[in-house]
Amino acid sequence: MRTPGGNGARRWLRTGALMLGIGWETGPFLFLGFVLVGLAGSLGPLMFALGLRPLVDGLYRHHTAPAVTGAIVCSAALLLVVSTPAAQNWITARIRQRSIMVMQRRILVAGSSAPGLAHFERAEFWERLQQLKRNFSQLLMGMANALVLPLVAVQLLVIAGVLAQVSPLLALLPAVALPAALLTQRAERMRLAADERAAADRRGLEHLADVASNVSAAKEIRMFGMHEELVRRHRELSARVERSTEPAAFRAYGVGLAGWLIFALSYLGAAALTIRAASEGRVSPGDVALTLSITAAVVAAAVRVTEVIGLLKRATVVSDDYHWLAEQLADSTPDGPTRALPARLEHGIELRGISFSYPGKDTAALQSIDLSLPAGSVVAVVGENGAGKTTLVKLLTRMYRPTEGSVFLDDVDLMRVDHREYRSRITAGFQDFVRFELLARECVGVGDLPAIDDEERVRGALGDASADFVGSLAHGLATQLGTRWDGGTDLSGGEWQKLAMARAMMRRDPLLVVYDEPTASLDPQTEHALFERIARSGRRPSDRCGITLLISHRFSTVRMADLIVVLEKGRIREQGSHEELVAANGLYAQLYSLQARAYR
């Protein structure tokens, strides 16, 4: 269960500010039109009731002027009642679509600009994100209706004043909407609680749907005959969602119905009172018509009040989710005053007493790491799966904060450096690379955005990554990648990986270059040749004295490194050159020997 997002006043103010911002981004004129259409829809029944009294009394007393006036008002009211639903449906669809795009863009901005990855390790993050995606249109709906609420309140006061002219007791009729509103609010809380309980199961349903429609998963689904198993799991999760939400929805319906039954009984009493007064000659036929017809205006206003209460409640919950996610994504404040990056590395990068544990994990992924990466060197990190290699890369690229210890660039603590400036001075190629379905030139060029259209730079990076196949594509660098697009071209796994490598080679003279298993889809010979090229490039004289860090399971490709670091269960087991480690006859020598025999 989520915790409240602060005290009540602060939550409402924060929600209001967020809703105003989204409304402005959606479009001020469209937003204003939505408010006006909503207002017109609520005024129609009231205008009809107010016009009906002079119309009936004028006809009854044979007075032409009030009858004509009443007829005009009733006609205008009917025109509003008839035309408003179509206009409201049209403008609601447009504003909902725009608000969804605005919120998607906000989530994209927050997610892509987040400095680290720690939030991805939390189940609550995914639950809140799923809830936000499902409900973020409620923010704009809540805002628009909140602006209508004062006008609806005025409408109820007008109705009370008009009914008081007929009978002081009838003035209480609009107040009967209050119990219905309160009960509807309670019903909304019941539905929201049920949605929260079902959030994890709904996320499971989305995952199964994504897997079933994912091209990369299609082969295994068919190979292992998983169709029926996926359907079975989907049915089980669907049943769990239904068991969690449908009883709550039924109870919520009963609670809301109770409120409207109270109103219905009150209306019957008001009608009986008015008819009796008319039979005694104390009120006119027009007053009876007004009382009987104005109930539609009371119901419309009461419905709007309860809708607004529910929408504002949902909007506040959605706002809590949005701000919680924003806080998680923005958790990157430097420790103390920001320090500038060194223009060049004189000594290198040093890890002092580094330990790291993933959120919710009892076992540390890295423990008490002390390591020096000399400036201008090529360093290889090896170890079995789970040894901590990728975690080390995440810390060096500042995707995570160390649980203990510090990383220094010469004498500058990495956590006191602006993460954007630091990322602009490093580059990396990863095993789990992204297949950017862009133009081939753009797929590589995003590795250095200012140079994305520099074909000479892109061709140079492609050459360094041995990705010469791009020249044989249908339109060369202008070829659209990905078969989901018109005229798009698909690539093999190895070709995609070479493009990812080229992307990592776009930046000039980075302080740190990381290759984390970047050649897993390449054959050993190609990988070896590529790593030799990387090693030579890493040792080239440079004003910035950058460090090249290689992560690989293939020991034959890392032997060329100046320094090899062997990790085992999150600790440094040994380090040194290839020759030193083989001579030491430790873990590295054993693993190297085993792998060498496998290739004989």
Side-chain angles (χ1 to χ4, degrees):
M1 187 73 68
R2 59 171 54 86
T3 55
N7 60 54
R10 181 173 178 270
R11 288 180 74 200
W12 283 111
L13 288 173
R14 191 169 64 171
T15 301
L18 177 61
M19 290 191 298
L20 277 173
I22 292 175
W24 182 262
E25 287 185 54
T26 301
F29 293 108
L30 183 65
F31 184 67
L32 180 61
F34 181 79
V35 173
L36 292 177
V37 168
L39 178 62
S42 64
L43 286 178
L46 176 59
M47 286 178 59
F48 182 81
L50 294 176
L52 195 60
R53 179 162 62 175
L55 174 62
V56 172
D57 282 343
L59 293 174
Y60 178 74
R61 295 168 180 163
H62 304 290
H63 294 163
T64 303
V68 170
T69 301
I72 292 174
V73 173
C74 287
S75 299
L78 288 174
L79 182 62
L80 276 178
V81 170
V82 171
S83 61
T84 297
Q88 195 159 25
N89 289 338
W90 179 83
I91 201 166
T92 299
R94 290 197 65 199
I95 203 166
R96 187 183 298 273
Q97 183 182 34
R98 284 199 188 181
S99 68
I100 288 173
M101 290 189 290
V102 167
M103 203 61 186
Q104 285 175 335
R105 185 163 60 248
R106 284 184 171 231
I107 293 174
L108 187 152
V109 169
S112 61
S113 62
L117 305 176
H119 51 280
F120 290 130
E121 307 292 338
R122 301 188 181 101
E124 185 181 7
F125 172 83
W126 295 108
E127 290 183 9
R128 294 236 191 185
L129 182 61
Q130 191 252 7
Q131 287 287 89
L132 183 60
K133 287 180 177 179
R134 287 184 63 241
N135 299 318
F136 50 39
S137 64
Q138 302 292 344
L139 284 169
L140 194 59
M141 299 297 106
M143 183 64 211
N145 284 279
L147 294 178
V148 173
L149 187 58
L151 301 176
V152 176
V154 171
Q155 180 179 336
L156 286 172
L157 290 175
V158 170
I159 292 172
V162 171
L163 289 175
Q165 296 174 11
V166 179
S167 169
L169 286 176
L170 293 180
L172 299 175
L173 185 60
V176 182
L178 182 60
L182 294 175
L183 290 174
T184 301
Q185 186 180 29
R186 181 181 175 187
E188 185 60 31
R189 286 198 299 267
M190 295 166 65
R191 282 191 289 265
L192 285 172
D195 281 344
E196 288 182 26
R197 290 193 297 270
D201 289 332
R202 280 203 173 99
R203 197 169 72 249
L205 290 172
E206 289 184 358
H207 172 67
L208 291 175
D210 289 342
V211 168
S213 59
N214 192 315
V215 175
S216 61
K219 296 188 291 295
E220 293 197 39
I221 290 174
R222 285 153 179 77
M223 175 62 67
F224 302 123
M226 294 174 61
H227 165 71
E228 293 184 359
E229 177 65 15
L230 291 176
V231 172
R232 182 188 68 78
R233 289 175 179 262
H234 193 279
R235 284 176 177 160
E236 285 184 356
L237 286 174
S238 298
R240 280 161 53 178
V241 170
E242 291 170 1
R243 286 195 299 270
S244 177
T245 58
E246 289 192 359
F250 183 77
R251 289 193 298 272
Y253 171 76
V255 169
L257 181 61
W260 291 115
L261 285 175
I262 294 172
F263 177 81
L265 292 173
S266 301
Y267 169 71
L268 290 175
L273 180 66
T274 306
I275 292 172
R276 180 179 176 181
S279 67
E280 296 173 353
R282 290 185 285 110
V283 299
S284 70
D287 291 331
V288 175
L290 169 69
T291 304
L292 295 179
S293 62
I294 207 169
T295 184
V298 175
V299 169
V303 166
R304 179 54 62 91
V305 168
T306 56
E307 282 180 350
V308 172
I309 290 173
L311 283 168
L312 290 178
K313 176 67 177 177
R314 291 194 293 272
T316 303
V317 174
V318 175
S319 173
D320 288 345
D321 286 336
Y322 175 82
H323 286 101
W324 185 91
L325 290 169
E327 288 167 4
Q328 304 306 305
L329 295 172
D331 185 19
S332 62
T333 306
D335 299 329
T338 302
R339 293 281 303 275
L341 274 173
R344 52 171 285 151
L345 290 176
E346 298 290 347
H347 306 291
I349 298 176
E350 186 174 356
L351 292 82
R352 301 175 188 173
I354 290 292
S355 294
F356 179 79
S357 298
Y358 288 98
K361 301 292 185 181
D362 296 329
T363 304
L366 292 175
Q367 303 178 60
S368 304
I369 299 294
D370 292 303
L371 177 64
S372 294
L373 309 178
S377 66
V378 177
V379 180
V381 180
V382 299
E384 298 177 310
N385 290 332
K389 303 185 299 297
T390 297
T391 301
L392 181 64
V393 168
K394 290 175 180 177
L395 294 180
L396 287 172
T397 54
R398 205 180 151 177
M399 301 296 178
Y400 290 87
R401 286 171 170 260
T403 307
E404 296 178 9
S406 301
V407 178
F408 288 88
L409 308 173
D410 286 344
D411 62 342
V412 178
D413 188 338
L414 180 57
M415 295 312 299
R416 293 181 62 180
V417 172
D418 182 87
H419 69 276
R420 291 175 292 270
E421 181 186 2
Y422 178 61
R423 297 265 175 74
S424 70
R425 300 279 300 280
I426 67 175
T427 188
F430 301 102
Q431 179 180 6
D432 51 346
F433 57 88
V434 179
R435 300 187 180 194
F436 288 109
E437 294 186 352
L438 307 170
L439 300 183
R441 179 189 67 252
E442 297 170 335
C443 181
V444 175
V446 293
D448 189 8
L449 283 174
I452 190 172
D453 294 320
D454 188 335
E455 292 197 5
E456 183 179 351
R457 288 275 300 281
V458 171
R459 291 184 191 280
L462 289 169
D464 290 340
S466 301
D468 301 325
F469 69 89
V470 173
S472 63
L473 296 178
H475 303 288
L477 291 177
T479 301
Q480 171 65 55
L481 304 180
T483 55
R484 291 185 296 177
W485 314 106
D486 187 26
T489 298
D490 196 16
L491 303 176
S492 67
E495 288 171 332
W496 278 112
Q497 192 154 48
K498 286 182 178 180
L499 291 183
M501 287 290 292
R503 190 158 58 240
M505 295 174 172
M506 277 291 294
R507 283 182 174 162
R508 291 178 173 172
D509 297 324
L511 297 180
L512 175 66
V513 182
V514 176
Y515 296 109
D516 182 10
E517 300 283 5
T519 55
S521 298
L522 305 180
D523 59 77
Q525 292 79 11
T526 303
E527 181 190 51
H528 183 77
L530 188 56
F531 272 12
E532 280 190 331
R533 185 178 299 174
I534 291 171
R536 288 196 301 270
S537 174
R539 295 190 184 97
R540 281 201 307 247
S542 170
D543 290 339
R544 298 185 185 275
C545 292
I547 298 168
T548 300
L549 184 68
L550 308 176
I551 310 288
S552 178
H553 279 94
R554 293 173 183 164
F555 285 63
S556 60
T557 61
V558 301
R559 59 181 299 173
M560 70 215 42
D562 302 310
L563 174 66
I564 299 173
V565 180
V566 183
L567 290 179
E568 183 183 35
K569 296 180 180 179
R571 295 181 180 273
I572 295 179
R573 175 71 176 268
E574 51 191 355
Q575 56 181 303
S577 67
H578 171 75
E579 291 75 16
E580 291 171 343
L581 294 176
V582 169
N585 199 29
L587 177 61
Y588 176 86
Q590 295 173 22
L591 295 175
Y592 179 78
S593 178
L594 285 172
Q595 197 170 97
R597 286 200 298 269
Y599 282 99
R600 289 173 186 166

